[in-house]
Amino acid sequence: MCLSGWNILRAMTPLSITQHEAGQRLHRVLAGVAAQVEHDLDRIRESPESGVHSLRRRMKKLASILRFAREHVPDRTRQQIRQHIRLLKGAFASQRDEDVLRKLLLDFGIEARAVEFPRSRRVRVSARQFEAAVKLRDIVCNLPLHAMT
C-alpha cells in the first residue's frame, strides 16, 4: 500500500487530523525552514564553515519536504523553489569544498596554511543570494497547502 504525503503526515501524528490540518502543519514546517535561510546567510558572514554547513543542510531539508508534498505543489512552483535551492547551494559549494579539504588536511597532519587555496577565507554573500533567499521564502509562504483538501 502506497501512502500519499498527507496520509504519511496523518499517520505520524497520534491524533487523527484532517487533510486541511495536515496541510496547515506542512505549510508551517516549510515556511519555518524557508524563513531560516536568511539567518543562515547572515551566519555565513560570521562563521563561514558552520554557516555554509547549516545553509546546505537546510536546503536539503527543504528539498526533502518539497518531495514529500510534490503531489500538492504545482509543477511550476516546485521548479521555482528547486531553482532557488540550487542557486543557494551552488553559491557556496566551493567554500564547502575548501572547508572539507582543510579539515581533511588537518586530519592527516598537514598544515592547511602550507597549501595554496584559490579563494580567501572571507566569504561574501551577494545581493543575488539574499534575493534568492527572500524569493524562496515568499514562494514557500504563499503556497496554498493549508487550503488543500
Side-chain angles (χ1 to χ4, degrees):
M1 180 175 154
C2 182
L3 293 175
S4 71
W6 296 118
N7 290 331
I8 291 170
L9 189 60
R10 287 172 67 186
M12 290 172 31
T13 58
L15 303 173
S16 178
I17 63 173
T18 65
Q19 283 188 339
H20 178 77
E21 291 168 327
Q24 286 178 326
R25 290 180 186 190
L26 186 59
H27 187 268
R28 235 185 346 262
V29 170
L30 274 169
V33 171
Q36 290 296 316
V37 172
E38 292 172 69
H39 297 292
D40 288 338
L41 290 174
D42 285 334
R43 188 172 170 198
I44 287 172
R45 291 178 176 162
E46 299 164 11
S47 176
E49 187 175 331
S50 64
V52 168
H53 177 71
S54 179
L55 175 73
R56 291 178 61 84
R57 201 178 67 223
R58 201 167 314 277
M59 292 295 97
K60 285 182 181 183
K61 189 181 291 187
L62 190 57
S64 68
I65 295 169
L66 188 63
R67 277 191 307 274
F68 176 75
R70 72 178 160 257
E71 63 190 58
H72 303 288
V73 179
D75 288 340
R76 181 167 158 62
T77 304
R78 197 169 61 246
Q79 288 171 355
Q80 287 176 333
I81 294 171
R82 289 177 62 216
Q83 178 184 355
H84 292 300
I85 289 172
R86 277 194 306 272
L87 188 145
L88 288 166
K89 282 177 68 176
F92 299 103
S94 61
Q95 177 65 39
R96 182 184 176 279
D97 292 346
E98 182 181 323
D99 292 339
V100 169
L101 182 57
R102 283 181 191 275
K103 239 181 186 174
L104 185 62
L105 291 172
L106 288 173
D107 287 348
F108 283 104
I110 301 170
E111 191 173 331
R113 285 182 286 174
V115 178
E116 188 85 21
F117 287 100
R119 293 170 30 107
S120 69
R121 290 297 295 155
R122 185 160 177 83
V123 179
R124 291 180 176 217
V125 179
S126 71
R128 182 175 182 215
Q129 292 154 353
F130 265 110
E131 183 180 313
V134 169
K135 283 182 181 177
L136 180 64
R137 183 199 62 210
D138 290 345
I139 292 168
V140 168
C141 288
N142 289 320
L143 280 175
L145 293 175
H146 58 283
M148 291 288 192
T149 56

